[in-house]
Amino acid sequence: MKKQMFIVALAVALAAPASFAQPDKVGVTQLKPIPSQASAALWASKMLARHHYKALPLDDAMSEKIFDRYFKTLDGEKMYFLQSDIDQFDVVRNKLDDAINNENLTLPFVLFNVYQQRFTERMAYARELLKTKLDFTTDETYMLDREKAAWPKNEDEARELWRKRVKNDWLRLKLAGKDDKAIREALDKRYDNYQVRLRKLNNEDVFQMFMNAYATSIEPHTNYLGPRAADNFDIAMRLSLEGIGAVLQTREEYTVIREIVAGSPAGLSGKLKVGDRIVGVAQGDTAFTDVLGWRIDDVVQLIRGPKDSAVRLDVLPADAGTDGKHIAVSLVRKKISMEEQSAKKSIIEVRDGGVKRRVGVISLPTFYLDFDARRRGDKDYKSATRDVARILGELKKEKVDNVLIDLRNNGGGSLIEAVELTGLFIDKGPVVQQRTAEGRIEVESDTNAGLAWDGPVGVLINRGSASASEIFAAAIQDYGRGLIIGEPSFGKGTVQTMINLDRFAPPSEKVHYGELKMTIAQFFRINGGTTQLRGVSPDIKLPVTSDNENFGESSYDNALPYVSIKPASYVASGDLKELIAPLQKRHEARIAKDKDFQYLQEDIAEMRKLRKENAISLNEVVRRKERDTQEAKAKLREARLASQGTVDDKEARSKVPDPTTRPAKAVAVKGSPRQDDGLQADERSLAAELAAEKAAKNAKDVMLQEAAHILSDEVAMFKTDTRLASRVMPYRAAIKLPD
């Protein structure tokens, strides 16, 4: 009783209006937990404390970790709370374990409600600032990333922070050519929509945020999914859904089309394009429902529907301003096979003097598998291995000299597929080892004799290559089967399982507890090492474009450590070490003369400089000069590219992600009970994904092009030294290939 009174008193004290601007007249709805959430939290805690690979008790020490991570979830950029808030909250730092164990979740909801109050106050102040005249002649800067900054000490410091935030928002629109009236209206609507979106959060959202703070305090890849999130969890793995065939994302208050599936209703209509903003949705001939500022899952729910039913979209075209003319697009839903996520092939022709060599490229965005269809015995079930095997057969007929598997930004997927895909390139043998929480070692092996491709092979990876991608790349490397090209991979070497918490719910009650994605094992290479933390190191190193400090397993403060175990029993297919030094030397000599690589290096240097500075000028003259310099540089490059190739060539050039762009949520993947679930949520960089997807659609991006040159060099070395191939790839003579 005393504890309950203490919590209520704390809520009243902290939520009292400060000397900041008064909240909106709309007010803030005080969210409260429901009984089923308290039960779900307790059952989840029992599973995590007993069965997690890194099982930790739910005690005061864990409570302190949850406390810090919960506040990071709510206000990671330190834009809303004051240091005085944190100081007052400190008295409950070690009480969150009690909240779960005693099935009383009032405390985490109190903390969220105070966050809502502070958020409302900040938005009210920001909107008041729009009525003032801002000075863009002073020399001051705005910090872009405040994750490592201190909380504002007091309200004056918070006001100063938001003055600069509003000033930067205004200046961006001003540089885009908008006048003061249009800017004021646009920003006022934007800040209002921020509040609208906050008010749309419900108790399930708050509970999920709190439970995720708990889950990720144990280990980065453990998550809680509320009932609604769990319902949507397996779409990406099955690669099909009933809808319009468009991948959506949130940008400010808009739902934006990120990708359109070829052959889908959206694609066949010819009326929608990437970047279009969906502002309204209607079922059949009914009136449009305004979805501006809506949560992405709510918008998706409206757009999805039964096969052959009609849906209309109110669309603001990508190239139209915020006040541009809308178009209405009517579509008939159908079952969509998300083919843009399937394996794709292309052929790059490399000229070396008077010789032309052909490198077959297989781009694989994810290790997908339709588990349900496979379990049903459907002979045509969808799988990455099946698609790659078919493509390899086609590439054989097209007489390619080498094959490159492009796994850039492939965040993982099915463990089964990682093993079976490796089996296309080795005869038989172990592929990956797993160690359970109990210390039991299990070996996943390819048991199918023969190879689908016995020629030379390369694997292209980057920092976004994770989990199943790392298992495949590590196995190819350990067997000496192919060259790994690129930059060090992500470093996710853990195994997750999905636990449906509904099984603990009382059978007489129709309640849903959600699901727990929990780490239960760790991957180990067949050589005894692990992909965990360190990832896979490439044989041939390309320029590093990623921000390793903020992206990758090593960026997590509680990642599992690198350890090793006893190697599995296997026989290497070959030994490519003899090739690495001369190939690296040729690569470095070639890119030293390549203007595209020089541009790339300039972009990387500029990206790192911006990240290090972590600030942007609020002086209009300075910003215009910076923009004009960038535009001039871009025009020079485009002019050069125009003189050398087509528009498609220009669009395919590799781009470095914008360091000012915040990562967005990515669709999670669900598969078999024990599998690698890949990178999810904020583990991915959306900017990196989009850049890589764009590059992968055309074989001319500089990284892919250079990887093809490296594999062409390998073939040239074999042609020059006929005994070299037999030394480094003896399996070709030893294995009889199937017809």
Side-chain angles (χ1 to χ4, degrees):
M1 186 67 176
K2 287 182 179 179
K3 183 182 293 182
Q4 181 71 18
M5 291 176 64
F6 166 74
I7 291 172
V8 173
L10 179 70
V12 172
L14 293 179
S19 58
F20 236 51
Q22 290 298 310
D24 254 6
K25 291 181 180 179
V26 178
V28 175
T29 301
Q30 299 292 304
L31 296 179
K32 299 177 181 179
I34 57 177
S36 62
Q37 290 168 346
S39 299
L42 185 62
W43 280 110
S45 71
K46 291 178 179 179
M47 297 302 299
L48 292 169
R50 296 174 187 174
H51 303 292
H52 195 281
Y53 186 73
K54 181 187 172 184
L56 295 172
L58 180 59
D59 54 14
D60 286 357
M62 177 57 68
S63 176
E64 293 188 6
K65 293 179 181 178
I66 299 171
F67 180 92
D68 291 335
R69 213 164 289 272
Y70 190 39
F71 275 92
K72 185 175 181 180
T73 301
L74 293 175
D75 188 14
E77 290 291 302
K78 299 184 175 71
M79 296 288 293
Y80 302 101
F81 289 118
L82 298 176
Q83 183 60 53
S84 58
D85 289 330
I86 307 305
D87 293 341
Q88 292 183 72
F89 290 143
D90 199 60
V91 296
V92 297
R93 177 179 287 274
N94 61 353
K95 303 296 182 185
L96 293 174
D97 57 323
D98 299 329
I100 295 174
N101 287 325
N102 296 334
E103 296 188 70
N104 183 351
L105 299 180
T106 303
L107 178 54
F109 276 77
V110 164
L111 300 181
F112 177 80
N113 288 329
V114 175
Y115 163 72
Q116 281 196 106
Q117 181 72 25
R118 296 294 179 260
F119 188 99
T120 301
E121 292 167 359
R122 303 299 181 259
M123 289 301 107
Y125 180 62
R127 296 174 76 179
E128 283 298 316
L129 285 172
L130 296 178
K131 301 174 183 178
T132 66
K133 184 173 179 59
L134 302 174
D135 182 4
F136 296 103
T137 64
T138 57
D139 289 323
E140 56 183 358
T141 59
Y142 175 68
M143 184 182 292
L144 294 170
D145 184 351
R146 289 185 44 81
E147 184 177 352
K148 296 179 182 178
W151 302 95
K153 293 178 182 177
N154 48 46
E155 290 164 9
D156 287 341
E157 201 168 287
R159 283 175 176 265
E160 178 65 4
L161 170 62
W162 275 91
R163 182 187 67 81
K164 290 185 175 182
R165 163 69 183 269
V166 172
K167 191 172 176 180
N168 184 55
D169 289 346
W170 188 296
L171 185 53
R172 280 182 167 171
L173 294 177
K174 189 173 186 179
L175 292 173
K178 291 185 176 295
D179 60 33
D180 287 354
K181 182 175 182 294
I183 293 171
R184 186 172 288 108
E185 290 175 353
L187 290 182
D188 188 64
K189 188 174 183 181
R190 180 186 299 178
Y191 299 149
D192 180 55
N193 276 316
Y194 287 163
Q195 290 179 263
V196 169
R197 276 190 283 171
L198 179 70
R199 288 194 290 268
K200 287 184 180 294
L201 294 180
N202 54 39
N203 60 20
E204 183 178 322
D205 297 311
V206 178
F207 178 62
Q208 180 165 299
M209 282 189 282
F210 172 65
M211 289 303 295
N212 259 319
Y214 172 22
T216 55
S217 292
I218 299 172
E219 183 268 341
H221 306 290
T222 296
N223 299 102
Y224 168 80
L225 290 89
R228 182 170 185 168
D231 287 344
N232 292 324
F233 197 57
D234 64 348
I235 289 173
M237 183 56 70
R238 289 187 290 107
L239 296 186
S240 66
L241 72 159
E242 289 181 356
I244 64 169
V247 180
L248 307 177
Q249 68 186 59
T250 299
R251 278 290 177 266
E252 296 180 345
E253 68 266 33
Y254 293 106
T255 297
V256 180
I257 296 178
R258 170 186 159 179
E259 201 74 53
I260 295 177
V261 181
S264 69
L268 293 173
S269 74
K271 296 180 180 179
L272 295 173
K273 59 183 179 296
V274 172
D276 283 354
R277 292 153 286 182
I278 298 173
V279 295
V281 181
Q283 310 303 323
D285 295 328
T286 62
F288 281 112
T289 298
D290 184 4
V291 297
L292 202 66
W294 276 37
R295 293 162 36 133
I296 187 71
D297 53 351
D298 287 329
V299 179
V300 170
Q301 201 68 27
L302 273 185
I303 293 175
R304 283 187 202 157
K307 182 181 177 183
D308 297 327
S309 62
V311 62
R312 288 187 301 126
L313 306 178
D314 183 11
V315 177
L316 182 60
D319 52 3
T322 54
D323 298 322
K325 184 179 180 181
H326 293 203
I327 62 170
V329 179
S330 182
L331 303 169
V332 176
R333 301 177 178 103
K334 71 173 186 177
K335 185 172 181 179
I336 308 299
S337 177
M338 298 176 69
E339 292 298 330
E340 87 284 355
Q341 288 294 301
S342 299
K344 295 286 192 303
K345 75 165 182 177
S346 60
I347 295 176
I348 298 178
E349 293 189 346
V350 179
R351 294 189 178 276
D352 182 6
V355 180
K356 182 172 70 175
R357 300 190 183 91
R358 291 159 59 81
V359 176
V361 178
I362 302 177
S363 175
L364 188 66
T366 183
F367 285 78
Y368 51 88
L369 171 62
D370 189 335
F371 288 96
D372 291 337
R374 178 169 169 148
R375 277 193 291 263
R376 291 195 308 267
D378 186 342
K379 64 179 181 179
D380 295 320
Y381 69 86
K382 188 76 174 172
S383 107
T385 302
R386 285 182 158 208
D387 288 346
V388 171
R390 171 182 52 78
I391 291 172
L392 287 171
E394 295 170 359
L395 292 175
K396 275 185 183 179
K397 292 178 181 178
E398 296 180 75
K399 300 188 182 305
V400 297
D401 298 290
N402 209 323
V403 166
L404 176 66
I405 310 297
D406 185 357
L407 297 182
R408 288 176 297 171
N409 295 291
N410 181 322
S414 166
L415 174 60
I416 295 171
E417 289 303 304
V419 173
E420 294 188 354
L421 190 71
T422 304
L424 299 180
F425 300 94
I426 65 171
D427 184 24
K428 283 194 300 186
V431 173
V432 65
Q433 304 184 84
Q434 295 183 54
R435 184 170 68 182
T436 66
E438 299 77 29
R440 186 175 64 253
I441 305 295
E442 300 174 358
V443 180
E444 301 286 344
S445 300
D446 165 48
T447 57
N448 297 318
L451 292 77
W453 173 261
D454 75 327
V457 63
V459 182
L460 181 58
I461 60 173
N462 66 2
R463 190 68 166 174
S465 305
S467 300
S469 292
E470 295 174 291
I471 291 170
F472 175 79
I476 294 295
Q477 191 175 55
D478 290 345
Y479 272 103
R481 181 61 186 87
L483 292 167
I484 310 302
I485 303 168
E487 59 181 313
S489 60
F490 190 93
K492 181 182 181 292
T494 52
V495 186
Q496 284 73 42
T497 190
M498 293 301 302
I499 298 172
N500 191 337
L501 297 174
D502 288 357
R503 66 185 184 182
F504 302 117
S508 59
E509 298 180 23
K510 293 183 178 180
V511 295
H512 295 287
Y513 286 173
E515 295 188 10
L516 198 62
K517 181 171 74 72
M518 189 171 77
T519 297
I520 56 168
Q522 184 172 347
F523 291 128
F524 289 88
R525 300 172 66 140
I526 55 174
N527 69 3
T530 179
T531 57
Q532 174 61 21
L533 199 61
R534 298 182 186 177
V536 177
S537 295
D539 299 312
I540 308 297
K541 299 174 178 60
L542 297 182
V544 174
T545 62
S546 58
D547 177 12
N548 293 350
E549 184 179 344
N550 295 304
F551 183 52
E553 192 76 8
S554 59
S555 68
Y556 297 119
D557 57 8
N558 61 342
L560 293 178
Y562 176 93
V563 292
S564 60
I565 62 173
K566 183 181 177 181
S569 177
Y570 71 102
V571 178
S573 302
D575 187 351
L576 305 182
K577 292 186 180 67
E578 190 177 341
L579 303 175
I580 293 173
L583 287 175
Q584 185 76 35
K585 187 176 180 180
R586 291 189 186 194
H587 155 67
E588 290 172 357
R590 181 167 45 248
I591 67 172
K593 304 174 185 177
D594 190 324
K595 287 290 185 184
D596 290 326
F597 263 90
Q598 290 175 21
Y599 292 151
L600 179 62
Q601 297 283 30
E602 289 175 10
D603 287 343
I604 294 170
E606 184 175 346
M607 172 191 69
R608 289 176 178 160
K609 177 175 175 286
L610 286 172
R611 281 178 176 150
K612 186 176 180 180
E613 292 175 348
N614 192 28
I616 191 167
S617 174
L618 296 177
N619 182 296
E620 183 178 354
V621 173
V622 173
R623 284 277 283 275
R624 284 191 184 277
K625 185 177 179 181
E626 290 173 349
R627 184 198 63 181
D628 293 345
T629 300
Q630 288 296 322
E631 288 182 352
K633 186 186 295 184
K635 286 179 180 178
L636 281 174
R637 291 188 188 183
E638 287 205 7
R640 175 184 175 273
L641 291 169
S643 67
Q644 292 185 347
T646 65
V647 173
D648 287 339
D649 293 335
K650 290 185 286 184
E651 287 297 315
R653 300 296 174 178
S654 181
K655 289 184 173 61
V656 176
D658 178 359
T660 67
T661 302
R662 301 291 300 162
K665 300 294 182 184
V667 178
V669 177
K670 177 181 179 182
S672 63
R674 294 195 67 186
Q675 72 156 50
D676 149 38
D677 281 309
L679 296 187
Q680 297 163 22
D682 56 359
E683 295 168 8
R684 292 181 188 265
S685 164
L686 181 61
E689 276 189 60
L690 293 174
E693 286 168 10
K694 193 173 186 180
K697 289 177 182 177
N698 192 297
K700 297 285 186 171
D701 78 83
V702 292
M703 295 295 195
L704 188 62
Q705 198 77 358
E706 178 56 24
H709 275 282
I710 291 167
L711 295 188
S712 174
D713 288 344
E714 180 186 30
V715 174
M717 290 173 67
F718 292 152
K719 299 287 187 183
T720 303
D721 185 348
T722 55
R723 290 176 296 178
L724 179 62
S726 63
R727 290 202 304 273
V728 303
M729 298 193 301
Y731 62 91
R732 294 195 72 180
I735 296 175
K736 182 179 179 181
L737 295 178
D739 294 333

